[in-house]
Short mmCIF file of all heavy atoms in Angstrom, two decimals:
data_model
loop_
_atom_site.label_atom_id
_atom_site.label_comp_id
_atom_site.label_asym_id
_atom_site.label_seq_id
_atom_site.Cartn_x
_atom_site.Cartn_y
_atom_site.Cartn_z
N TYR A 1 2.69 10.99 7.61
CA TYR A 1 3.35 11.97 8.49
C TYR A 1 3.10 13.41 8.05
O TYR A 1 3.16 14.33 8.86
CB TYR A 1 4.85 11.71 8.53
CG TYR A 1 5.25 10.42 9.23
CD1 TYR A 1 6.40 9.74 8.86
CD2 TYR A 1 4.47 9.88 10.26
CE1 TYR A 1 6.77 8.56 9.50
CE2 TYR A 1 4.84 8.71 10.89
CZ TYR A 1 5.98 8.05 10.50
OH TYR A 1 6.35 6.88 11.13
N GLN A 2 2.80 13.61 6.78
CA GLN A 2 2.47 14.95 6.30
C GLN A 2 1.01 15.31 6.56
O GLN A 2 0.59 16.44 6.28
CB GLN A 2 2.75 15.05 4.79
CG GLN A 2 4.21 14.99 4.41
CD GLN A 2 4.40 14.89 2.90
OE1 GLN A 2 3.52 15.24 2.12
NE2 GLN A 2 5.57 14.41 2.48
N GLY A 3 0.25 14.37 7.09
CA GLY A 3 -1.16 14.63 7.36
C GLY A 3 -2.07 14.39 6.17
O GLY A 3 -3.26 14.69 6.24
N ARG A 4 -1.55 13.82 5.10
CA ARG A 4 -2.35 13.57 3.89
C ARG A 4 -2.91 12.15 3.99
O ARG A 4 -2.56 11.25 3.23
CB ARG A 4 -1.48 13.77 2.66
CG ARG A 4 -0.97 15.21 2.55
CD ARG A 4 0.25 15.36 1.68
NE ARG A 4 0.01 14.99 0.28
CZ ARG A 4 0.94 15.01 -0.67
NH1 ARG A 4 2.19 15.39 -0.35
NH2 ARG A 4 0.66 14.67 -1.89
N ILE A 5 -3.80 11.98 4.95
CA ILE A 5 -4.25 10.64 5.34
C ILE A 5 -5.02 9.96 4.22
O ILE A 5 -4.82 8.76 3.97
CB ILE A 5 -5.11 10.72 6.61
CG1 ILE A 5 -4.33 11.41 7.74
CG2 ILE A 5 -5.54 9.33 7.05
CD1 ILE A 5 -3.03 10.73 8.10
N ASP A 6 -5.91 10.68 3.55
CA ASP A 6 -6.70 10.05 2.49
C ASP A 6 -5.80 9.48 1.40
O ASP A 6 -6.02 8.37 0.91
CB ASP A 6 -7.69 11.04 1.89
CG ASP A 6 -8.81 11.40 2.85
OD1 ASP A 6 -8.97 10.68 3.87
OD2 ASP A 6 -9.52 12.40 2.60
N GLU A 7 -4.78 10.25 0.99
CA GLU A 7 -3.86 9.78 -0.04
C GLU A 7 -3.05 8.58 0.46
O GLU A 7 -2.81 7.63 -0.29
CB GLU A 7 -2.91 10.91 -0.45
CG GLU A 7 -3.58 12.09 -1.13
CD GLU A 7 -2.61 13.23 -1.32
OE1 GLU A 7 -1.72 13.11 -2.19
OE2 GLU A 7 -2.72 14.23 -0.58
N ALA A 8 -2.63 8.63 1.72
CA ALA A 8 -1.86 7.52 2.29
C ALA A 8 -2.71 6.26 2.34
O ALA A 8 -2.23 5.16 2.01
CB ALA A 8 -1.37 7.90 3.68
N GLU A 9 -3.96 6.39 2.77
CA GLU A 9 -4.84 5.22 2.85
C GLU A 9 -5.08 4.62 1.47
O GLU A 9 -5.08 3.39 1.31
CB GLU A 9 -6.17 5.61 3.49
CG GLU A 9 -6.07 5.90 4.97
CD GLU A 9 -7.40 6.31 5.57
OE1 GLU A 9 -8.19 6.98 4.87
OE2 GLU A 9 -7.65 5.95 6.73
N GLU A 10 -5.26 5.48 0.47
CA GLU A 10 -5.50 4.98 -0.88
C GLU A 10 -4.28 4.24 -1.41
O GLU A 10 -4.40 3.16 -2.00
CB GLU A 10 -5.86 6.16 -1.80
CG GLU A 10 -6.16 5.74 -3.24
CD GLU A 10 -6.52 6.91 -4.13
OE1 GLU A 10 -6.57 8.06 -3.63
OE2 GLU A 10 -6.73 6.69 -5.34
N LEU A 11 -3.10 4.81 -1.21
CA LEU A 11 -1.88 4.15 -1.67
C LEU A 11 -1.66 2.84 -0.92
O LEU A 11 -1.33 1.80 -1.53
CB LEU A 11 -0.67 5.08 -1.47
CG LEU A 11 0.71 4.50 -1.81
CD1 LEU A 11 0.76 3.99 -3.24
CD2 LEU A 11 1.80 5.53 -1.55
N TYR A 12 -1.85 2.85 0.39
CA TYR A 12 -1.65 1.65 1.20
C TYR A 12 -2.59 0.54 0.75
O TYR A 12 -2.17 -0.61 0.58
CB TYR A 12 -1.89 1.99 2.67
CG TYR A 12 -1.68 0.83 3.62
CD1 TYR A 12 -0.44 0.23 3.77
CD2 TYR A 12 -2.74 0.35 4.40
CE1 TYR A 12 -0.26 -0.82 4.66
CE2 TYR A 12 -2.57 -0.69 5.29
CZ TYR A 12 -1.32 -1.28 5.42
OH TYR A 12 -1.13 -2.33 6.29
N ALA A 13 -3.84 0.87 0.52
CA ALA A 13 -4.81 -0.14 0.09
C ALA A 13 -4.42 -0.72 -1.27
O ALA A 13 -4.54 -1.93 -1.51
CB ALA A 13 -6.20 0.46 0.02
N SER A 14 -3.92 0.14 -2.19
CA SER A 14 -3.55 -0.35 -3.52
C SER A 14 -2.35 -1.29 -3.43
O SER A 14 -2.26 -2.27 -4.18
CB SER A 14 -3.25 0.83 -4.44
OG SER A 14 -2.00 1.44 -4.14
N LEU A 15 -1.41 -0.99 -2.53
CA LEU A 15 -0.24 -1.86 -2.36
C LEU A 15 -0.65 -3.20 -1.76
O LEU A 15 -0.19 -4.26 -2.19
CB LEU A 15 0.80 -1.17 -1.50
CG LEU A 15 1.42 0.10 -2.07
CD1 LEU A 15 2.29 0.79 -1.02
CD2 LEU A 15 2.24 -0.21 -3.31
N CYS A 16 -1.50 -3.16 -0.75
CA CYS A 16 -1.94 -4.40 -0.12
C CYS A 16 -2.71 -5.28 -1.11
O CYS A 16 -2.64 -6.52 -1.03
CB CYS A 16 -2.81 -4.08 1.10
SG CYS A 16 -1.88 -3.33 2.47
N ALA A 17 -3.41 -4.65 -2.03
CA ALA A 17 -4.17 -5.41 -3.03
C ALA A 17 -3.26 -6.17 -3.98
O ALA A 17 -3.72 -7.07 -4.69
CB ALA A 17 -5.09 -4.47 -3.81
N ARG A 18 -1.99 -5.82 -4.00
CA ARG A 18 -1.05 -6.51 -4.89
C ARG A 18 -0.52 -7.80 -4.30
O ARG A 18 0.19 -8.55 -4.97
CB ARG A 18 0.11 -5.57 -5.25
CG ARG A 18 -0.31 -4.41 -6.14
CD ARG A 18 0.88 -3.60 -6.59
NE ARG A 18 0.49 -2.53 -7.49
CZ ARG A 18 0.32 -2.66 -8.80
NH1 ARG A 18 0.51 -3.84 -9.35
NH2 ARG A 18 -0.02 -1.62 -9.54
N ALA A 19 -0.83 -8.09 -3.05
CA ALA A 19 -0.40 -9.35 -2.45
C ALA A 19 -1.04 -10.52 -3.18
O ALA A 19 -2.10 -10.40 -3.81
CB ALA A 19 -0.76 -9.38 -0.97
N SER A 20 -0.40 -11.67 -3.10
CA SER A 20 -0.97 -12.87 -3.70
C SER A 20 -2.21 -13.30 -2.92
O SER A 20 -2.49 -12.78 -1.83
CB SER A 20 0.07 -14.00 -3.67
OG SER A 20 0.20 -14.52 -2.35
N PRO A 21 -3.01 -14.24 -3.46
CA PRO A 21 -4.17 -14.72 -2.70
C PRO A 21 -3.82 -15.25 -1.31
O PRO A 21 -4.68 -15.28 -0.42
CB PRO A 21 -4.74 -15.82 -3.60
CG PRO A 21 -4.33 -15.41 -4.98
CD PRO A 21 -2.97 -14.80 -4.81
N LEU A 22 -2.56 -15.65 -1.11
CA LEU A 22 -2.11 -16.10 0.20
C LEU A 22 -1.58 -14.96 1.06
O LEU A 22 -1.15 -15.17 2.20
CB LEU A 22 -1.02 -17.15 0.05
CG LEU A 22 -1.48 -18.52 -0.46
CD1 LEU A 22 -0.29 -19.42 -0.73
CD2 LEU A 22 -2.44 -19.17 0.53
N GLY A 23 -1.56 -13.73 0.53
CA GLY A 23 -1.08 -12.58 1.31
C GLY A 23 0.41 -12.42 1.27
O GLY A 23 0.98 -11.77 2.16
N LEU A 24 1.08 -12.94 0.27
CA LEU A 24 2.54 -12.87 0.17
C LEU A 24 2.95 -11.82 -0.86
O LEU A 24 2.26 -11.62 -1.87
CB LEU A 24 3.13 -14.22 -0.20
CG LEU A 24 2.80 -15.36 0.76
CD1 LEU A 24 3.38 -16.68 0.25
CD2 LEU A 24 3.31 -15.07 2.17
N LEU A 25 4.10 -11.18 -0.61
CA LEU A 25 4.60 -10.13 -1.48
C LEU A 25 6.04 -10.40 -1.88
O LEU A 25 6.83 -10.93 -1.09
CB LEU A 25 4.52 -8.76 -0.79
CG LEU A 25 3.13 -8.11 -0.74
CD1 LEU A 25 3.11 -7.01 0.31
CD2 LEU A 25 2.74 -7.56 -2.10
N PRO A 26 6.41 -9.97 -3.08
CA PRO A 26 7.79 -10.14 -3.55
C PRO A 26 8.63 -8.92 -3.22
O PRO A 26 8.16 -7.96 -2.59
CB PRO A 26 7.60 -10.25 -5.06
CG PRO A 26 6.49 -9.26 -5.32
CD PRO A 26 5.56 -9.36 -4.13
N GLU A 27 9.87 -8.95 -3.68
CA GLU A 27 10.74 -7.79 -3.59
C GLU A 27 10.32 -6.72 -4.59
O GLU A 27 10.23 -5.54 -4.27
CB GLU A 27 12.18 -8.19 -3.86
CG GLU A 27 13.17 -7.03 -3.87
CD GLU A 27 14.56 -7.46 -4.33
OE1 GLU A 27 14.67 -8.32 -5.22
OE2 GLU A 27 15.53 -6.93 -3.79
N GLN A 28 10.05 -7.15 -5.82
CA GLN A 28 9.74 -6.22 -6.90
C GLN A 28 8.53 -6.72 -7.68
O GLN A 28 8.18 -7.90 -7.64
CB GLN A 28 10.93 -6.06 -7.86
CG GLN A 28 12.18 -5.47 -7.20
CD GLN A 28 13.31 -5.28 -8.18
OE1 GLN A 28 13.10 -5.09 -9.37
NE2 GLN A 28 14.54 -5.33 -7.68
#
């Protein structure tokens, strides 16, 4: 929303990479 798209994309990709091999995520 601040227009910092490159930073947002990098953070989003790093979070998605933390999913399990089945694509599941925990609370913490």
Side-chain angles (χ1 to χ4, degrees):
Y1 292 151
Q2 292 172 21
R4 298 159 63 182
I5 304 302
D6 290 346
E7 295 172 72
E9 289 179 325
E10 182 180 358
L11 176 56
Y12 181 63
S14 74
L15 296 172
C16 291
R18 291 186 177 275
S20 75
L22 288 173
L24 302 177
L25 282 163
E27 177 188 36
Q28 298 182 28

